[in-house]
Amino acid sequence: MIPDSIEAARRLLSWYDRHRRDLPWRAKPGETADPYRVWLSEIMLQQTTVPAAAPYFRNFTERWPAVRDLADAPLDDLLVAWAGLGYYARARNLHKCARAVVDRHGGRFPANEAALLELPGIGAYTAAAITAIAFDRKATVVDGNVERVIARIFAVEEPLPNAKPSLRRLAATLTPDFRPGDYAQAMMDLGATICTPRKPKCMLCPWAEYCEGRTAGIAETLPRKVAKAEKPTRRGVAYWLLNPDGSVLLRRRAEEGLLGGMAEVPSTSWGPELPGEAAVAAQQPLPARWRRLPGLVRHTFTHFHLELEVVAGQAGADWRLADGTWVPVDRLGDHALPSVMVKVVRHALSHA
DNA sequence: CAAGCGTGGTC
DNA sequence: TGACCAAGCTT
């Protein structure tokens, strides 16, 4: 158990000072944090690893150095820049949030949790993180790392997500009044580098002697989680359609839902079974003779597996009638293609 | 409020 | 190699 939460916080901060990681969005010691950069990094890091987010962060801050720049940019420019990072609602909310900060707050992020929570794309975790890291005000930051650290320190055996309220309460009892920003980052760094999901490095942990999970020999098994449902497989056929200029037909997906607002190679609907010839003909973007390309494009989303067969066709004189945009192959990079569609494009180019 | 929402890395 | 995982939010 933790006999003295102030002493525990001091120990964690001492460890943090010695092992602070140099990350692209992190202010150097003594520097003042930029709320815009803190916000942008926190949105990018939602359910996303540091190595995946880092190049996107560099690109965004170079193109849009301040929140006003982001607010003034067209949404489509953000979507193209976000393509490949996933969870595209984040990019749409990023734009909404930038506009809200400009319109409602004069271009400055509000310095309190409640006001931050009102902004699009900012939930409990992100509001607390910005409060602590950008403004150095006390806030209890609870992300997946913190949940793991707290579950182990207090040997919480109740499975997630039920345990969330308890873990939050326990985390709050440890949050000190001093160095709020450093403490928040220290907790997350501890989870990311020492108190890792597998093979935690307890020998290096500044809190090892407090850790009830370690004492009980169950630290590595925590936090417990309820088993997730198995992912179903959905199947469809994608249409690789060229016009007489050699341009490819792309469409824009609906603004809401899966891959909302992103570009796609047109396809049949995705169902349990691969669509037959009749369905392929019924849903084709233009009448064409379709040639089946060998192999399948496989992709896994959060909640289902996808298998796409790709068919190639040549549009005739009526190609202008197609619903969508004709894009020269060497300009496909200008469009907001999610990773699954990049796979389809690569598949088509290598087999067609 | 459970379910929907991406992707690339890891073991 | 397939399941699991990562600095969650929205509806």
Side-chain angles (χ1 to χ4, degrees):
Chain A
M1 73 176 272
I2 296 194
D4 178 350
S5 64
I6 293 182
E7 170 59 19
R10 287 211 181 95
R11 251 188 236 194
L12 179 64
L13 284 163
S14 165
W15 169 83
Y16 180 67
D17 289 337
R18 281 176 282 125
H19 299 279
R20 172 194 287 271
R21 294 187 292 166
D22 198 19
L23 300 174
W25 41 81
R26 189 166 275 181
K28 304 252 188 297
E31 276 183 7
T32 306
D34 176 356
Y36 168 67
R37 294 167 65 89
V38 173
W39 162 71
L40 180 61
S41 68
E42 291 302 339
I43 301 298
M44 287 185 169
L45 288 165
Q46 288 168 5
Q47 299 287 284
T48 305
T49 58
V50 165
Y56 286 84
F57 179 82
R58 293 184 221 279
N59 183 36
F60 268 67
T61 50
E62 189 170 323
R63 281 185 70 177
W64 301 294
V67 66
R68 285 183 188 281
D69 303 317
L70 209 54
D72 290 341
L75 171 61
D76 279 11
D77 287 2
L78 268 67
L79 291 178
V80 172
W82 196 276
L85 196 53
Y87 283 137
Y88 298 100
R90 291 186 295 174
R92 304 193 298 271
N93 284 331
L94 197 74
H95 198 238
K96 282 188 201 161
C97 185
R99 295 199 159 167
V101 167
V102 169
D103 294 344
R104 295 187 219 160
H105 301 284
R108 291 170 178 273
F109 281 85
N112 70 85
E113 245 178 300
L116 287 164
L117 260 178
E118 297 296 312
L119 293 167
I122 297 185
Y125 160 76
T126 307
I130 296 174
T131 301
I133 299 170
F135 298 109
D136 208 26
R137 295 190 180 185
K138 184 176 179 180
T140 298
V141 169
V142 184
D143 70 338
N145 288 308
V146 176
E147 285 180 343
R148 185 170 57 254
V149 170
I150 297 298
R152 288 174 176 173
I153 291 288
F154 293 98
V156 175
E157 298 197 63
E158 181 186 15
L160 286 168
N162 273 10
K164 277 177 181 291
S166 322
L167 294 173
R168 164 169 292 285
R169 278 195 299 275
L170 290 168
T173 67
L174 295 185
T175 307
D177 294 320
F178 46 89
R179 299 182 63 186
D182 287 340
Y183 179 81
Q185 294 177 86
M187 280 292 277
M188 293 190 282
D189 271 18
L190 186 68
T193 63
I194 303 288
C195 197
T196 48
R198 283 168 302 217
K199 298 186 184 300
K201 304 169 184 63
C202 300
M203 301 308 290
L204 302 176
C205 181
W207 282 356
E209 72 180 73
Y210 302 142
C211 187
E212 295 177 32
R214 177 165 168 270
T215 306
I218 59 171
E220 191 170 358
T221 73
L222 301 176
R224 311 226 194 281
K225 299 185 180 182
V226 300
K228 291 171 195 160
E230 193 178 334
K231 289 177 183 175
T233 298
R234 296 193 203 168
R235 299 174 174 88
V237 172
Y239 303 96
W240 182 254
L241 185 60
L242 297 178
N243 73 1
D245 300 334
S247 291
V248 184
L249 183 64
L250 293 187
R251 281 183 183 163
R252 184 190 178 91
R253 292 180 59 87
E255 297 302 319
E256 304 289 319
L258 185 72
L259 309 176
M262 301 295 284
E264 68 172 351
V265 176
S267 73
T268 63
S269 54
W270 301 344
E273 300 302 333
L274 201 60
E277 268 188 52
V280 171
Q283 299 178 54
Q284 61 187 345
L286 280 181
R289 269 207 296 279
W290 297 106
R291 178 168 56 90
R292 194 202 143 141
L293 303 185
L296 281 175
V297 173
R298 294 176 193 279
H299 190 79
T300 299
F301 293 101
T302 308
H303 53 296
F304 66 92
H305 302 288
L306 177 66
E307 292 178 4
L308 287 177
E309 184 178 294
V310 182
V311 295
Q314 181 67 51
D318 62 345
W319 62 271
R320 291 170 189 283
L321 298 179
D323 176 28
T325 310
W326 293 98
V327 179
V329 169
D330 60 3
R331 306 306 308 219
L332 285 167
D334 298 346
H335 293 261
L337 288 170
S339 292
V340 60
M341 291 301 155
V342 172
K343 285 186 189 176
V344 170
V345 167
R346 278 205 303 256
H347 187 82
L349 290 175
S350 62
H351 291 98

